[in-house]
Amino acid sequence: MQPGLAISAQDVETLTSRVHIVFHCAATIRFDEPLKHALQLNVMATQQLLSLAQQMQQLQAFIHISTAYANCNRRHIDELIYPPPVEPRKLIDSLEWMDESIIRDITPRLIGDWPNTYTYTKALAECVVQQESAKLNVGIVRPSIVGASWQEPFPGWIDNFNGPSGVFIAAGKGILRTMRASNDAVADLIPVDVVINLTLAAGWYTAVNKPKTALVYNCTTGGINPFHWGEIEHHVMSTFKRNPLEQAFRRPNANITSNYLIYQYWILVSHKVPALLYDLLLRLSGHKPQMMRIFNRLHKAIGLLEYFSSQDWEWNSDNMNMLMAQLSTDDRKIFNFDVRQLNWPEYIENYCIGTKKYVLNEDMSDIPAARQHLRKLRNIRYTFNTVLLVFIWRVFIARSQMARNIWYFVVSLCFKFLSYFRASSTLTQ
């Protein structure tokens, strides 16, 4: 990492003489980021920005964006900065001389109860911010799983595949058919505009009131307006069936399970087998196979999310409620972060439509064609299942007298029904 945040001397002079409030949002959000790189981006860069902030003559507030999962090794998380697992400076110094392969080998032992390097380094970054809180007016905002906008700039706005967005798109395309999660676990999504509004309000409060210690704001929904993964599955599927994505691979029909064996069964039957068959078809037609590679990437992505979709946390939100009470009636409307007003089914529908419109850039006027494509996929599925059933049954018939008797009985019954139907139609005419 370049010293001084790679900012020119002229830009440093401009910042130190004019800036009043710093909103520190930059970080790597990759869960599988190598530890050394995650430390550089999430901890060392925070230290360097704090050093720069101390030179800012007009600075009134420094707001650091952390994550609600920085202390996910605890089940109940208060709005306070917990002691770090290790002194950040000592860890940085000790890793400075180590080879990447050595760091990779010792990473699991270093991060301990944390599920990944992202949450681990965000916990360390909070400690770094706290160490400077005596010199600066500091606030920390901890959003949970950030999703599409609720109201601003308009409902459902989203511009990336991060977080649940990529999962929703994969489910809407019919690629994702199963996910390991708990149906009853709270899905702590937080709309991006709620995070922004809370962050702006925290900047105002910190600058005006100058708290003696750093105030932490847990920006979450689970303890205030809970919604569960099983409910999200239902609303995502129903939305994409009404408003399908273009050129879907299969009809949207994902299911959530917490059972490992059932999950592995559906991975094999609904992911790997169709991917292998599709790649075989591509090879036979002279094209490069790609579906197995896509599914492998998908499995890696949902595997990283499994820790967060299989359990619950309790976040205290006293500071967030206090901040809301400090706002005037008009400011509460302008900087709305009251998630009690959030209608989840409506939000999830807007979220799914937002991925279609703003991430995939699909035109809503093409929905009739997309629905026709889903009907085509449904007919292909019914035909395939029928042919497969007949094939399996015929195999049994060839080997079993009882199966042959049952088969002939069913065929004769169908024949009699058709004959009766024709006779009834003739009498009616």
Side-chain angles (χ1 to χ4, degrees):
M1 173 175 291
Q2 298 184 47
L5 299 171
I7 300 175
S8 67
Q10 183 179 357
D11 288 339
V12 168
E13 183 180 353
T14 301
L15 293 172
T16 54
S17 61
R18 298 184 183 181
V19 170
H20 292 79
I21 298 179
V22 172
F23 295 103
H24 179 221
C25 309
T28 175
I29 58 173
R30 285 182 54 189
F31 288 173
D32 57 349
E33 192 80 69
L35 179 57
K36 190 172 184 177
H37 195 216
L39 279 170
Q40 290 175 335
L41 295 175
N42 292 348
V43 182
M44 294 173 64
T46 301
Q47 284 181 327
Q48 293 180 10
L49 186 58
L50 285 164
S51 298
L52 179 63
Q54 291 174 25
Q55 304 172 41
M56 296 178 180
Q57 303 155 19
Q58 310 278 349
L59 188 68
Q60 298 181 39
F62 184 101
I63 306 300
H64 172 73
I65 307 300
S66 184
T67 172
Y69 297 99
N71 301 284
C72 58
N73 57 325
R74 302 170 182 268
R75 283 292 163 263
H76 180 85
I77 301 170
D78 287 312
E79 290 176 306
L80 56 86
I81 301 173
Y82 291 95
V86 64
E87 172 59 38
R89 186 71 259 172
K90 291 181 179 179
L91 179 62
I92 293 169
D93 291 341
S94 62
L95 296 184
E96 193 66 36
W97 57 270
M98 289 189 187
D99 185 75
E100 291 289 347
S101 60
I102 299 176
I103 297 174
R104 186 169 56 250
D105 291 339
I106 65 173
T107 292
R109 295 184 62 184
L110 285 174
I111 65 176
D113 295 335
W114 278 262
N116 50 55
T117 57
Y118 168 69
T119 54
Y120 178 73
T121 54
K122 293 300 278 185
L124 296 179
E126 287 191 1
C127 172
V128 169
V129 173
Q130 184 185 39
Q131 290 171 352
E132 303 299 330
S133 61
K135 306 171 188 176
L136 302 170
N137 299 322
V138 171
I140 296 177
V141 177
R142 290 177 179 161
S144 50
I145 304 173
V146 180
S149 64
W150 172 22
Q151 297 171 327
E152 299 178 278
F154 25 77
W157 178 83
I158 188 74
D159 67 346
N160 59 68
F161 290 87
N162 296 335
S165 305
V167 175
F168 289 177
I169 291 171
K173 285 285 189 179
I175 297 174
L176 177 64
R177 312 294 287 182
T178 187
M179 179 176 170
R180 194 172 180 206
S182 172
N183 282 282
D184 298 326
V186 173
D188 210 300
L189 300 185
I190 189 77
V192 63
D193 50 335
V194 170
V195 180
I196 292 170
N197 288 338
L198 174 60
T199 301
L200 293 173
W204 161 78
Y205 183 83
T206 304
V208 171
N209 293 278
K210 296 179 172 54
K212 294 182 180 179
T213 58
L215 287 183
V216 178
Y217 304 90
N218 285 336
C219 187
T220 61
T221 58
I224 304 170
N225 185 5
F227 204 60
H228 303 88
W229 286 107
E231 295 173 291
I232 285 184
E233 174 206 345
H234 169 74
H235 289 291
V236 168
M237 291 300 98
S238 61
T239 298
F240 279 132
K241 287 176 181 176
R242 294 192 307 272
N243 306 278
L245 302 179
E246 296 175 13
Q247 297 301 312
F249 177 62
R250 296 173 71 184
R251 283 175 57 81
N253 188 26
N255 69 85
I256 286 176
T257 179
S258 57
N259 185 286
Y260 177 78
L261 293 178
I262 294 176
Y263 171 69
Q264 290 299 325
Y265 167 78
W266 285 116
I267 286 288
L268 176 64
V269 172
S270 295
H271 286 183
K272 292 185 177 180
V273 171
L276 289 171
L277 292 175
Y278 192 79
D279 280 350
L280 177 61
L281 182 63
L282 288 175
R283 287 181 185 276
L284 294 175
S285 59
H287 295 88
K288 186 177 179 180
Q290 58 179 350
M291 287 308 300
M292 201 63 200
R293 185 176 71 254
I294 291 174
F295 274 107
N296 287 336
R297 290 172 58 189
L298 177 63
H299 294 157
K300 181 179 179 181
I302 60 178
L304 293 172
L305 292 173
E306 186 178 309
Y307 178 89
F308 304 96
S309 60
S310 301
Q311 50 191 320
D312 293 313
W313 287 266
E314 295 178 3
W315 283 280
N316 181 292
S317 54
D318 289 345
N319 287 342
M320 189 171 78
N321 295 331
M322 176 277 297
L323 182 60
M324 194 183 306
Q326 295 293 318
L327 299 179
S328 67
T329 302
D330 289 339
D331 282 344
R332 288 183 200 175
K333 294 178 182 178
I334 297 172
F335 304 98
N336 184 17
F337 54 88
D338 186 0
V339 294
R340 293 172 298 183
Q341 304 171 15
L342 181 61
N343 182 298
W344 280 110
E346 180 183 7
Y347 172 73
I348 295 299
E349 180 174 357
N350 289 333
Y351 194 155
C352 293
I353 293 174
T355 61
K356 176 180 176 67
K357 292 169 64 176
Y358 309 121
V359 179
L360 300 178
N361 296 316
E362 296 183 1
D363 197 326
M364 295 298 287
S365 63
D366 293 331
I367 283 182
R371 288 173 179 163
Q372 179 63 33
H373 179 69
L374 285 193
R375 286 193 288 269
K376 179 181 177 182
L377 291 176
R378 179 195 60 192
N379 295 336
I380 292 173
R381 178 190 173 193
Y382 287 165
T383 302
F384 176 80
N385 289 346
T386 302
V387 171
L388 182 63
L389 181 63
V390 170
F391 173 77
I392 294 174
W393 185 247
R394 290 295 298 174
V395 169
F396 279 109
I397 288 174
R399 300 188 178 186
S400 170
Q401 180 62 43
M402 180 180 294
R404 282 198 295 270
N405 293 338
I406 295 174
W407 173 257
Y408 294 140
F409 172 76
V410 171
V411 171
S412 63
L413 196 64
C414 292
F415 179 77
K416 289 178 181 178
F417 174 77
L418 290 173
S419 300
Y420 173 77
F421 180 76
R422 290 176 181 173
S424 298
S425 299
T426 304
L427 290 174
T428 303
Q429 294 175 357

